[in-house]
Amino acid sequence: MSQQNDPVVVLPPATQITRNWVERVLVGLKFCAPSNPSLIQDRVHYRVMDDDLDDAMTSLIEECEHLDQNSHIENTLMIFPDNMQHFYSFKLVADMARELMAEQGFSDQYQLELLHPHYRFRDSSAKNPINYIKRSPYPTLHLVRKSCLEYALLNFPEGSEDGGKKNRMLKRGEQGIAQMQCLAGEAWEAA
């Protein structure tokens, strides 16, 4: 009996680095509890984007339509590896994307989150370890089904044991920053 081997899929570097970050940081540290089953069941779609803003907005709508047509996919990560490095400029792009989603009728089904290497929560210092929850290797727009978010809120409450561990680690100040930088670096180097 011959054994058939599945072909090896080679991912673009930006996709592999982002996937490693999702697995090791978001899922590994349980920052994003609903992602764990999604990753195990391959329910995340990764798309590497070019630098053109008009193309990005067109691609955003294509990805919303792709989610509409593929109910097994719960998340789409639109990765911008070569541009959009300025956090506040990328935040404006995310705002434009949300407006476009609303105009096109997708904002009821999908939520758009912003991930960025220099992410900074409002009213937090740049060195606050909590920022690392949304500090991705590359500027990234994260489309997620709202039904998945609702499930996560019901099944993974903020006060749960995992949430408590996460908050304790992130409140360790410099030690928390060092740990997050180490994990992020490992994820990026593993590609």
Side-chain angles (χ1 to χ4, degrees):
M1 179 183 212
S2 67
Q3 190 176 35
Q4 185 178 8
N5 293 330
D6 291 332
V8 175
V9 177
V10 177
L11 299 173
T15 301
Q16 187 59 54
I17 289 168
T18 301
R19 186 179 184 120
N20 289 342
W21 173 77
V22 168
E23 291 172 358
R24 292 181 181 202
V25 177
L26 292 185
V27 174
L29 295 175
K30 299 184 179 175
F31 285 163
C32 193
S35 291
N36 197 351
S38 298
L39 281 172
I40 292 169
Q41 299 167 10
D42 202 24
R43 293 186 174 186
V44 179
H45 175 69
Y46 297 85
R47 182 169 179 173
V48 177
M49 306 299 300
D50 65 17
D51 298 341
D52 185 84
L53 186 58
D54 289 335
D55 288 347
M57 294 300 122
T58 300
S59 296
L60 172 73
I61 297 306
E62 290 171 359
E63 289 303 323
C64 289
E65 292 168 347
H66 186 254
L67 286 168
D68 277 351
Q69 297 165 5
N70 295 277
S71 60
H72 65 283
I73 298 173
E74 296 176 0
N75 298 274
T76 295
L77 295 175
M78 299 173 64
I79 308 160
F80 294 82
D82 299 321
N83 205 347
M84 310 281 184
Q85 294 301 316
H86 188 268
F87 172 63
Y88 291 105
S89 295
F90 193 59
K91 196 172 178 198
L92 292 174
V93 170
D95 290 342
M96 289 172 46
R98 287 184 190 101
E99 287 177 25
L100 180 60
M101 286 175 62
E103 289 171 12
Q104 298 293 316
F106 290 111
S107 59
D108 289 339
Q109 302 107 304
Y110 309 113
Q111 182 167 316
L112 183 77
E113 293 294 326
L114 165 68
L115 306 169
H116 196 277
H118 307 292
Y119 193 94
R120 184 174 172 184
F121 282 100
R122 185 178 312 167
D123 300 328
S124 85
S125 72
K127 291 188 175 185
N128 188 330
I130 198 80
N131 295 320
Y132 281 88
I133 292 173
K134 290 195 171 202
R135 283 196 179 162
S136 57
Y138 302 104
T140 302
L141 294 177
H142 178 197
L143 271 173
V144 62
R145 291 183 188 278
K146 285 189 175 181
S147 60
C148 294
L149 293 174
E150 291 164 3
Y151 172 82
L153 290 173
L154 290 173
N155 293 287
F156 302 98
E158 188 62 33
S160 69
E161 183 180 338
D162 289 335
K165 287 179 190 174
K166 169 183 69 176
N167 289 332
R168 283 191 301 277
M169 186 199 68
L170 290 173
K171 289 179 181 174
R172 287 191 213 150
E174 293 298 320
Q175 184 182 1
I177 291 171
Q179 185 175 8
M180 289 305 301
Q181 288 172 335
C182 181
L183 284 169
E186 288 173 4
W188 299 343
E189 290 169 9

